[in-house]
């Protein structure tokens, strides 16, 4: 009998078994390859669909990240007569504009409206429009304008009569010798703020500059001006020195010009690079209060 499998009969029983086993192995490998290829293609298609969906949302995700990463500057109401160099810088004023305001204030005069502020500083209309809504003038100025009392149009001619009536001529005292009663006599300083000022003095050992009164953000500009007029820093104030290289985390965090986050950063820098040699190295730390570095340096030792 002849047929397609006639050749198969030429082999003995053992050889035929071997040939069958080989065929089965080849068929198994082919089937496995086909199954693997199919699953890989399906997986790739599924992954590609997921990637497309993710990429379609990427633009929105990036926009949300950018929105949350933007550092917003919050402006609180303030009296423009008492703008410091740093405050003016954060508001967008140029050095020349800030200088004009300070020179005008040195004459003992005040600006009493947004228009007068622009007349003195020569800021642009756009900047004035941005910051003027936050101007906060004393009540006596606002009341005079509401009552329609005529005044000269040039800036600086309004006098602070209502506050002067409440203030007495006080001798200039050493802020580092002042008592709570001495501080309480200044207009705008009550027992609460007097205790706060004395508590800060205790932490520092002594004040080194009357500009440190600006650190009390809750004080009104008029109260700060009254403190600077009534008190001074005496000769050789005995400050409490803080050793940057040996102070503990709690000691660094207790220092009024640092916080716990900055204290940790200082400890980390000490651990990584060894001894901190000078104030310039501290300036490299993120969020270090650079604008107060001259005062801070007087309280530190290395």
């Amino acid at each position: 009998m002849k047929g397609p499998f006639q050749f198969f009969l030429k082999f003995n029983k053992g050889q035929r078994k071997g040939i069958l086993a080989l065929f089965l192995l080849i068929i198994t490998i082919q089937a496995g390859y086909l199954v693997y290829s199919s699953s890989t293609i399906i997986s790739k298609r599924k992954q590609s669909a997921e990637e497309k969906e993710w990429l379609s949302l990427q633009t929105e995700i990036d926009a949300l990240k950018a929105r949350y990463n933007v550092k917003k500057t919050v402006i609180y109401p303030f009296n423009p007569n008492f703008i410091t160099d740093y405050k003016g810088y954060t508001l967008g004023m140029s050095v020349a504009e800030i200088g004009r305001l300070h020179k005008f204030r040195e004459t003992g005069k005040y600006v009493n409206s947004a228009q007068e502020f622009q007349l003195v500083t020569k800021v642009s209309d756009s900047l004035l429009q941005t910051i003027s809504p936050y101007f906060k003038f004393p009540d006596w100025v606002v009341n005079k304008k509401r009552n329609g009392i005529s005044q000269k149009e040039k800036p600086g001619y309004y006098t602070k009569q209502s506050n002067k009536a409440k203030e007495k001529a006080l001798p200039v005292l050493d802020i580092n010798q002042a008592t709570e009663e001495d501080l309480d006599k200044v207009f705008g300083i009550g027992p609460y703020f007097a205790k706060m000022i004395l508590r800060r003095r205790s932490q520092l050992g002594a004040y080194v500059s009357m500009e440190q009164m600006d650190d009390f953000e809750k004080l009104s500009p008029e109260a700060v001006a009254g403190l600077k007029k009534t008190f001074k820093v005496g000769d050789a104030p005995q400050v409490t020195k803080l050793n940057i290289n040996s102070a503990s985390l709690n000691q660094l965090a207790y220092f009024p010009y640092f916080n716990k986050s900055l204290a940790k950063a200082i400890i980390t820098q000490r651990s990584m690079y060894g001894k901190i040699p000078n104030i310039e190295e501290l300036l490299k730390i993120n969020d270090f209060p650079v604008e107060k570095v001259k005062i801070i340096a007087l309280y530190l030792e290395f």
Side-chain angles (χ1 to χ4, degrees), residues 88 91-94 97 117 123-133 135:
L91 292 173
M93 295 176 64
S94 68
E97 291 165 349
F117 179 82
V123 296
S124 64
D125 292 339
S126 59
L127 180 58
L128 183 70
Q129 186 177 2
T130 300
I131 65 177
S132 60
F135 287 179

Side-chain angles (χ1 to χ4, degrees), residues 165-217:
K166 297 180 182 179
E167 292 181 352
K168 297 180 180 179
L170 300 174
V172 178
L173 303 175
D174 186 347
I175 188 67
N176 292 314
Q177 301 297 327
T179 64
E180 182 178 335
E181 292 73 20
D182 293 330
L183 294 166
D184 195 23
K185 293 177 183 178
V186 178
F187 180 80
I189 304 292
Y192 174 80
F193 288 119
K195 287 183 174 66
M196 184 185 296
I197 294 169
L198 294 177
R199 192 180 306 117
R200 176 65 63 84
R201 188 180 72 187
S202 177
Q203 287 179 281
L204 296 171
Y207 290 111
V208 295
S209 169
M210 288 306 297
E211 295 301 317
Q212 290 174 277
M213 299 301 106
D214 295 324
D215 297 339
F216 299 100
E217 297 179 355

Side-chain angles (χ1 to χ4, degrees), residues 23-162:
F23 282 150
L24 288 174
L25 179 61
I26 293 173
I27 292 171
T28 302
I29 293 174
Q30 290 291 337
Y33 176 76
L34 289 174
V35 172
Y36 173 76
S37 299
S38 300
S39 62
T40 303
I41 292 172
I42 293 172
S43 176
K44 286 184 177 180
R45 287 177 180 174
K46 184 178 179 180
Q47 184 178 7
S48 178
E50 290 177 351
E51 287 179 353
K52 288 180 180 179
E53 184 179 358
W54 176 260
L55 290 174
S56 67
L57 297 173
Q58 190 62 45
T59 302
E60 184 178 351
I61 293 171
D62 291 341
L64 288 172
K65 284 182 178 179
R67 186 184 306 170
Y68 284 108
N69 287 335
V70 172
K71 186 176 181 181
K72 295 182 179 179
T73 302
V74 180
I75 303 177
Y76 297 97
F78 63 95
N79 188 329
N81 286 291
F82 300 100
I83 292 177
T84 62
D85 290 343
Y86 179 71
K87 178 72 173 179
Y89 169 76
T90 59
L91 292 173
M93 295 176 64
S94 68
V95 175
E97 291 165 349
I98 299 170
R100 293 187 194 105
L101 177 63
H102 288 176
K103 187 175 181 180
F104 174 78
R105 286 288 293 110
E106 287 173 0
T107 65
K109 297 179 181 179
Y110 295 84
V111 295
N112 298 282
S113 68
Q115 292 73 23
E116 290 181 0
F117 179 82
Q118 185 179 35
L119 183 63
V120 169
T121 61
K122 295 181 172 46
V123 296
S124 64
D125 292 339
S126 59
L127 180 58
L128 183 70
Q129 186 177 2
T130 300
I131 65 177
S132 60
Y134 301 97
F135 287 179
K136 182 178 180 181
F137 296 101
D139 293 339
W140 64 271
V141 173
V142 177
N143 292 335
K144 281 187 176 184
K145 292 179 182 178
R146 289 176 180 172
N147 296 334
I149 299 176
S150 61
Q151 297 286 350
K152 294 183 179 181
E153 293 300 324
K154 293 183 179 180
Y157 280 92
Y158 298 152
T159 57
K160 205 157 83 169
Q161 295 174 350
S162 61

